[in-house]
Amino acid sequence: MRKRTLFRLGMGTVAAGAATLAYASLVERNLFTLRRFDVPVLPADTEPLRVLHLSDLHMMPEQRRKQDWVASLAALDPDLVVVTGDNMAHPGAVPGVLRALAPLLDFPGAFVFGSNDYTGPVLKNPFSYFLPDREYSEGAELPYDELRDVFTGAGWADLNNARTTLKAGGRLIELVGVDDPHIARDDYPSVAGPVPAAAELSLALSHSPEPAVLDQMAADGFELLLAGHTHGGQVCVPGFGALVTNCGLPRSMAKGLHRWPDSDAWLHVSAGLGTHPTAPVRFACRPEASILTLIPR
């Protein structure tokens, strides 16, 4: 009787694990979700401004469902589109990325790149994400210059270690960004400096939300910090949240809108729309885009 009970328990555990894996790989990773947040960063008595934040598409050529869903976001009529990197996951991904983003290129926009815009993913042990000092492995080179040319040709601001101003929603916006800190391409000191008084709004972009970079951006007076990279944990435990962020950010801030500590800045971390191709699962962490409605303080 005892052996039979243990056998049933074991089989039940295996069945539950298989069902969970099937759900995470076949269902939830395709449940694209739009998140909405109000962010109080504007002066009193000003009209709201809508920012569409996209990140971590990790696009493969055949992912047409994802491409169609992203393209449909143009119907939101955002004032500004912000993309925080890791657009590609395959050397042939550019046409798919452009199929997804083409309707959004008509809006004012800004972008930074992530590590998986420069090189493709490689097979890795998923448990290695729990190692703080794991070595980064590069895959095949990706056509990032081709993607950059399309974005900048549409008038989007390239903020990889750069700073600029643009008009969106009738407002003068100060923008700054860094190339991906996750692979040590960031150089914030080269673009650092206080936000000018003439700016009606200020935004700062980084693919990986590394606290050392975000601290500097917030100290310069940037009001809204935007990042991706974490995938929101990708595989989360209900009631507990993310197990890992793959950066220096606390697990409690793995996705969503947060006050940045010891500053007046807000941080929005997108859980992103894709997965690593060798780990195509999401659990308790749907793929997402966010519409941030900036409102008076």
Side-chain angles (χ1 to χ4, degrees):
M1 181 67 71
R2 183 182 178 187
K3 289 183 178 179
R4 187 180 302 170
T5 300
L6 290 174
F7 176 76
R8 287 175 176 172
L9 286 173
M11 291 302 295
T13 300
V14 170
T20 299
L21 180 61
Y23 167 79
S25 61
L26 300 175
V27 180
E28 184 164 325
R29 76 181 179 95
N30 292 308
L31 293 178
F32 305 115
T33 300
L34 181 67
R35 307 292 186 194
R36 298 177 183 269
F37 298 92
D38 290 342
V39 192
V41 294
L42 297 180
D45 301 322
T46 56
E47 291 295 317
L49 185 144
R50 289 154 52 83
V51 177
L52 176 63
H53 183 191
L54 303 173
S55 197
D56 296 85
L57 274 70
H58 290 282
M59 192 68 73
M60 298 288 283
E62 73 281 2
Q63 292 178 326
R64 298 184 70 86
R65 183 188 301 181
K66 185 195 299 184
Q67 295 162 20
D68 290 341
W69 189 85
V70 173
S72 75
L73 297 176
L76 296 170
D77 195 27
D79 296 300
L80 178 68
V81 180
V82 169
V83 176
T84 50
D86 274 9
N87 297 282
M88 297 182 282
H90 186 279
V94 169
V97 174
L98 298 185
R99 184 172 181 270
L101 295 181
L104 295 168
L105 293 174
D106 292 332
F107 299 96
F111 68 96
V112 292
F113 282 156
S115 60
N116 286 147
D117 290 305
Y118 295 109
T119 58
V122 295
L123 184 65
K124 63 185 72 175
N125 181 348
F127 293 102
S128 68
Y129 286 101
F130 292 94
L131 302 176
D133 299 319
R134 67 186 180 89
E135 185 176 347
Y136 177 75
S137 301
E138 295 186 358
E141 183 172 306
L142 297 179
Y144 60 91
D145 276 334
E146 181 180 348
L147 191 62
R148 189 198 311 272
D149 288 345
V150 173
F151 286 173
T152 57
W156 281 15
D158 181 351
L159 295 177
N160 289 292
N161 297 324
R163 188 166 180 162
T164 192
T165 59
L166 60 75
K167 276 276 191 177
R171 256 63 64 91
L172 181 66
I173 304 176
E174 182 80 8
L175 291 158
V176 73
V178 293
D179 209 339
D180 192 3
H182 186 62
I183 51 174
R185 294 181 67 108
D186 58 303
D187 184 11
Y188 187 73
S190 70
V191 292
V195 173
E200 298 171 83
L201 174 66
S202 56
L203 307 180
L205 281 61
S206 175
H207 174 66
S208 178
E210 292 296 345
V213 175
L214 300 180
D215 281 340
Q216 295 175 78
M217 292 170 162
D220 276 341
F222 285 90
E223 299 159 289
L224 178 57
L225 318 177
L226 300 161
H229 177 71
T230 65
H231 296 191
Q234 189 167 319
V235 175
C236 298
V237 176
F240 180 80
L243 299 176
V244 65
T245 63
N246 195 26
C247 64
L249 198 69
R251 290 185 299 101
S252 61
M253 302 174 79
K255 63 180 178 180
L257 184 68
H258 310 274
R259 268 291 194 185
W260 187 245
D262 303 317
S263 78
D264 294 326
W266 291 89
L267 168 68
H268 180 258
V269 181
S270 172
L273 284 158
T275 66
H276 193 288
T278 63
V281 297
R282 277 185 178 256
F283 186 76
C285 187
R286 289 186 178 187
E288 66 178 43
S290 297
I291 191 78
L292 308 176
T293 302
L294 311 190
I295 60 175
R297 301 180 191 90

